[in-house]
Amino acid sequence: MDKKIYYQVRAEVDKLITTNLIERGGIVHKYITGNANFPNPTVEMPAFSIAIEELKIAQLDAATGDRTKIAFRNGKDIVVRVMMRMLADYVNSAAAGDKDIILSSGFDVRSTPTPPQELDAPEKVEVLSSKTTGAMVVKAKRVKGAKSYVAQYAQEGTPNWLSTFSSLSKITVEGLAPGTTYSFRMACVNSKGQSKWSQQVEAMAI
């Protein structure tokens, strides 16, 4: 019996120059927004739209050749690339190998004969102080097969979790209120989907 063909996203985010990244990001944003196949994207669509627009403006400013503006553009470029990787992994998970569903996201497809493996939840999660006031560093042991990581945090006693993400298992969370205690947790993502959340860690922002 022939093996079932599982299709996956062909994102190739790292191969895109900034101009093409902006164009592809706009397409993905358009097709995922309001798409019933993707009800809970790991990247919020309004935030993704803002990130693309900020990169577009920074790209125009960097055309002058000013080194400071180029460095600023490069920072915005990284943010959009990380978001695109997160969305590619989410689409892979939601599509479960279905070619048409993947194409409905605005991404292209590639095929693989076997489905990807589920991920274990991150372990050895730590929350460390940062040199920046109101920022903390959440880190965990790297998970084999993970493509990206999500850190969530919530002020102690509230159910409102906020997310930040990275391709690394070490994530800086900013905008915290010094002297306030927060709960932190981390998950990882690959084309199979998101892992379970790690155990929560409580720490006071400084």
Side-chain angles (χ1 to χ4, degrees):
M1 182 181 294
D2 294 336
K3 291 182 178 179
K4 177 181 177 180
I5 299 299
Y6 288 82
Y7 289 89
Q8 293 186 334
V9 168
R10 187 177 69 190
E12 299 181 337
V13 174
D14 294 331
K15 296 181 180 180
L16 297 174
I17 63 174
T18 299
T19 301
N20 292 343
L21 177 67
I22 293 169
E23 179 182 6
R24 174 58 63 179
I27 292 171
V28 171
H29 175 268
K30 175 182 177 180
Y31 280 89
I32 289 183
T33 299
N35 189 328
N37 292 317
F38 311 110
N40 300 299
T42 49
V43 175
E44 295 181 355
M45 289 296 98
F48 188 40
S49 177
I50 290 172
I52 294 170
E53 188 61 30
E54 289 179 345
L55 176 57
K56 187 184 300 183
I57 294 171
Q59 172 75 344
L60 292 173
D61 290 343
T64 62
D66 183 274
R67 290 185 178 181
T68 300
K69 292 181 178 180
I70 290 173
F72 183 76
R73 185 276 314 277
N74 291 344
K76 296 296 183 181
D77 181 282
I78 290 172
V79 170
V80 173
R81 288 182 196 274
V82 170
M83 287 181 164
M84 285 283 282
R85 294 189 196 103
M86 292 281 292
L87 287 169
D89 290 338
Y90 168 72
V91 168
N92 274 326
S93 175
D98 188 294
K99 179 180 179 180
D100 292 334
I101 292 178
I102 291 175
L103 290 174
S104 78
S105 72
F107 282 110
D108 291 328
V109 297
R110 61 184 177 86
S111 62
T112 178
T114 57
Q117 300 300 308
E118 293 184 358
L119 294 170
D120 295 327
E123 298 180 342
K124 298 183 178 180
V125 177
E126 301 178 85
V127 181
L128 309 174
S129 60
S130 169
K131 295 180 181 179
T132 304
T133 300
M136 302 290 281
V137 178
V138 185
K139 62 179 295 186
K141 181 180 178 181
R142 291 185 62 86
V143 178
K144 183 178 180 180
K147 298 292 184 65
S148 55
Y149 295 83
V150 187
Q152 283 197 332
Y153 57 100
Q155 187 172 328
E156 188 177 45
T158 71
N160 301 320
W161 290 94
L162 300 174
S163 302
T164 187
F165 42 84
S166 174
S167 59
L168 304 176
S169 60
K170 182 178 180 180
I171 303 176
T172 299
V173 175
E174 301 178 323
L176 305 175
T180 301
T181 299
Y182 292 85
S183 296
F184 299 86
R185 63 186 183 183
M186 184 177 284
C188 52
V189 180
N190 69 0
S191 56
K192 182 69 175 181
Q194 181 177 301
S195 72
K196 294 181 179 179
W197 290 104
S198 68
Q199 291 186 336
Q200 295 180 28
V201 178
E202 279 69 44
M204 180 179 291
I206 59 175

